[in-house]
Amino acid sequence: MIIQKTSNSRIQNLDKDNISFGSTFIDHMLVCEYENGKWGEVRIMPYGSFSFSPAMMCLNYGQACFEGMKAYKDQKGQVFLFRPEKNFERINKSAKRLAMPEVTREMFVEGLKALVDIDRAWIPQGEGFSLYIRPLIFATEEALMARESNKYMFAIIASPAKAYYSAPVSVLISDYYSRAANGGIGFAKAAGNYAAAFYPTQLANEAGYEQIIWTDDATHGYFEESGTMNVFVRVEDTIYTPPVSERILDGITRDSFIELAKRRGMEVVVDKIPVQFVINAHKEGTLKEIWGVGTAVVSNRFKAMGYKGERLTLPLLSDEESYAENLKKELIGIQSNQQEDPFGWRVLVEEGVAHK
């Protein structure tokens, strides 16, 4: 690993109380290039821009995928990653589906630890703060040919973050647009998945909703995801969430919520969620809450849902009564080293690891 430290740190410009999510970047980034059938040397270097041609293949044919993860700093100043092995596994799953080369564990996990160690000062301390980390792989060959690229770049960039939007949002149940289809790339964190979601989300915004609940492409009769989040529904005291599939992302926060709920003795049903089941539960008064989960937001509850021209107000339980809020609080406690981690999810980033 080659490490080139910046001679002009920008840390003094960081105002943690006025952080705009994903727009301020740490001093360094990790970069590794793929050419002639193999990955080159991992480099940690000052954060900055690259010069690329408009003929770069990722711009023309969409070979690009990424991950989203976080690092946390506890009250003693120790720094932790959360389940990085899961992100490592998932980015390679995405890369394989997009015909891109997989990265090694040393590149991803050890490189990530080194980068976070070097810029640990950029991780804000305090409740709700973290370092949002974006590993990505994209095609860099300059060629207008409809085939897989012969050159790629793996990079990791990171941005200090404060708690994402947490106010309850309204969601529109999609009965036309789909996020993914069978045989497609819905299970991958492909860049194109997000681009395809923007227009339907614009339409939902114009109709007075912040997000979409995506439904299956064949019948639009089953919940799949919500916006960029996995979705959970609570009817009475049972939690429902759709199973992961080739259409639904295997969310790490989703998996963590399921494990935490089971450990608490809550009933969790991982199965298809019919839209009509949720509508009927709302009419019968047994629908307690619906929420989405993801790395950036952790968890976000829904206050209303739109379906076939009707806006249905959802219950807003107190934080003490809400399963969503209780599970979120416990997960954040584990991530930030404020409470016991019975699962071994928390990974300490040792000081000086970049030079070992």
Side-chain angles (χ1 to χ4, degrees):
M1 187 182 301
I2 299 171
I3 298 176
Q4 177 193 352
K5 287 193 176 183
T6 183
S7 58
N8 186 27
S9 175
R10 294 170 283 104
I11 188 67
Q12 69 275 5
N13 299 324
L14 178 63
D15 178 1
K16 78 172 193 177
D17 296 318
N18 290 290
I19 295 172
S20 177
F21 189 90
S23 61
T24 299
F25 297 94
I26 62 176
D27 281 331
H28 299 89
M29 60 185 178
L30 181 147
V31 174
C32 187
E33 295 182 79
Y34 181 94
E35 191 173 359
N36 298 322
K38 62 181 180 180
W39 288 105
E41 187 127 35
V42 174
R43 293 175 288 150
I44 292 178
M45 57 196 295
Y47 177 83
S49 301
F50 290 101
S51 293
F52 289 116
S53 162
M56 184 169 69
M57 292 183 76
C58 81
L59 299 178
N60 292 278
Y61 304 109
Q63 274 187 296
C65 68
F66 64 88
E67 277 298 312
M69 53 197 304
K70 287 181 178 179
Y72 305 84
K73 184 177 286 182
D74 70 7
Q75 296 174 345
K76 296 179 180 178
Q78 297 182 107
V79 172
F80 297 90
L81 299 174
F82 182 72
R83 308 187 74 180
E85 294 285 351
K86 298 288 284 184
N87 296 97
F88 167 60
E89 292 169 4
R90 192 170 65 182
I91 199 169
N92 278 336
K93 188 176 179 182
S94 298
K96 184 175 182 179
R97 178 60 180 85
L98 295 172
M100 298 195 294
E102 298 179 26
V103 297
T104 67
R105 186 186 184 282
E106 182 179 8
M107 289 168 60
F108 189 97
V109 179
E110 301 308 319
L112 175 60
K113 288 179 180 178
L115 178 65
V116 170
D117 177 40
I118 288 172
D119 276 343
R120 61 175 56 233
W122 280 87
I123 307 173
Q125 202 165 19
E127 186 176 351
F129 290 98
S130 62
L131 182 71
Y132 183 78
I133 303 166
R134 170 58 54 86
L136 63 160
I137 308 172
F138 55 97
T140 57
E141 184 182 355
E142 187 178 357
L144 298 181
M145 300 179 185
R147 57 161 172 77
E148 68 272 21
S149 176
N150 290 312
K151 297 180 182 179
Y152 299 88
M153 179 174 285
F154 169 63
I156 304 178
I157 58 177
S159 175
K162 60 181 179 181
Y164 210 61
Y165 60 85
S166 56
V169 298
S170 56
V171 293
L172 178 65
I173 299 174
S174 177
D175 58 5
Y176 179 75
Y177 292 102
S178 297
R179 197 192 75 87
N182 285 332
I185 57 173
F187 66 88
K189 281 188 75 71
N193 286 345
Y194 297 80
F198 294 155
Y199 177 66
T201 303
Q202 282 182 353
L203 297 180
N205 294 163
E206 291 169 5
Y209 298 90
E210 286 90 358
Q211 282 290 356
I212 290 177
I213 288 184
W214 301 105
T215 52
D216 67 290
D217 65 300
T219 69
H220 295 289
Y222 298 90
F223 278 28
E224 296 215 321
E225 293 189 11
S226 179
T228 59
M229 302 178 288
N230 291 112
V231 66
F232 285 80
V233 174
R234 176 184 168 192
V235 175
E236 295 288 13
D237 292 332
T238 300
I239 298 171
Y240 298 84
T241 194
V244 296
S245 67
E246 57 187 0
R247 300 187 310 276
I248 298 176
L249 189 72
D250 189 0
I252 295 162
T253 308
R254 168 193 175 276
D255 182 71
S256 302
F257 261 66
I258 291 171
E259 292 302 314
L260 288 171
K262 288 180 177 179
R263 187 171 183 270
R264 284 175 171 237
M266 298 173 176
E267 184 177 0
V268 181
V269 176
V270 179
D271 201 357
K272 291 182 177 180
I273 302 176
V275 173
Q276 200 57 52
F277 168 73
V278 179
I279 300 301
N280 291 343
H282 180 272
K283 291 178 180 178
E284 295 164 3
T286 57
L287 179 62
K288 299 297 184 183
E289 53 187 331
I290 306 177
W291 70 94
V293 303
T295 299
V297 69
V298 183
S299 175
N300 200 190
R301 288 192 282 169
F302 303 156
K303 63 181 179 181
M305 62 180 176
Y307 185 61
K308 295 192 179 300
E310 186 176 4
R311 187 182 179 97
L312 305 174
T313 301
L314 299 174
L316 280 180
L317 305 177
S318 68
D319 287 357
E320 291 73 24
E321 297 174 303
S322 167
Y323 284 6
E325 288 301 313
N326 275 279
L327 293 170
K328 178 180 180 178
K329 183 177 180 180
E330 185 175 1
L331 181 59
I332 291 173
I334 291 173
Q335 291 171 331
S336 58
N337 197 31
Q338 294 177 359
Q339 65 184 67
E340 177 192 2
D341 174 15
F343 304 97
W345 289 339
R346 203 167 48 228
V347 176
L348 175 68
V349 178
E350 298 178 12
E351 290 194 53
V353 69
H355 303 288
K356 290 182 179 179

